[in-house]
Amino acid sequence: MRKIEHIGIAVADIATANETYTKLFNAPPYKMEVVESEGVSTSFFIIGDSKIELLQATNEDSAIAKYISKRGEGIHHIAYDVVDIHAERERLIGEGFQAIGEVKQGADNKWVCFFHPKSANGVLVELCQERSE
Ligand code: ZN
């Protein structure tokens, strides 16, 4: 793993959250994107070398909807940038981390995969690799 790529924050209302974070960073999101397959609406802010992803559920079955109903708004995941997502996923499975699903297309032009929070002390782990094609 090379660095923290972004931190994902679950929000109830992304329009309101965008206003709040635009004030916080004194800059608007550089990207907003709906990922239908995940049932999320996202926006991304960049701060120096770091990014913050805001996520709002677009339907009741979305993982974000479930997260917010259980735990309220807050830090949802930490995403780590990797060079070879498939190799790193296999490595972590070999180390006993519990994968959630397969590698799939995520927001912000990335391949992503996830590991269960109970594998990592209560924090959902995302691996992401920049899509080159
Ligand atoms: Zn993310």
Side-chain angles (χ1 to χ4, degrees):
M1 295 190 196
R2 297 194 294 189
K3 62 169 187 173
I4 293 175
E5 212 284 333
H6 63 268
I7 294 172
I9 299 174
V11 304
D13 183 295
I14 203 158
T16 310
N18 276 341
E19 287 176 21
T20 302
Y21 279 79
T22 295
K23 286 178 200 164
L24 180 65
F25 301 134
N26 200 23
Y30 71 89
K31 182 183 275 193
M32 294 188 66
E33 191 176 344
V34 175
V35 185
E36 283 299 346
S37 58
E38 295 296 302
V40 293
S41 179
T42 66
S43 59
F44 286 86
F45 294 82
I46 196 151
I47 322 103
D49 291 333
S50 304
K51 292 177 188 167
I52 296 292
E53 173 186 30
L54 304 181
L55 305 110
Q56 181 207 296
T58 57
N59 66 63
E60 305 261 298
D61 297 328
S62 159
I64 297 300
K66 289 171 191 156
Y67 181 91
I68 286 185
S69 73
K70 229 189 266 180
R71 299 169 70 170
E73 294 183 296
I75 293 180
H76 177 257
H77 63 268
I78 297 182
Y80 302 95
D81 179 57
V82 297
V83 178
D84 182 341
I85 194 166
H86 292 282
E88 199 66 8
R89 183 174 178 279
E90 288 309 308
R91 186 183 73 79
L92 291 181
I93 290 169
E95 293 285 5
F97 289 82
Q98 187 189 328
I100 303 173
E102 302 293 322
V103 174
K104 57 199 170 185
Q105 212 167 299
D108 200 27
N109 197 41
K110 299 281 197 299
W111 293 112
V112 300
C113 67
F114 293 91
F115 289 88
H116 200 282
K118 73 184 176 199
S119 298
N121 305 82
V123 180
L124 178 65
V125 171
E126 175 182 347
L127 302 184
C128 59
Q129 179 185 340
E130 192 80 31
R131 294 171 62 205
S132 48
E133 70 277 57

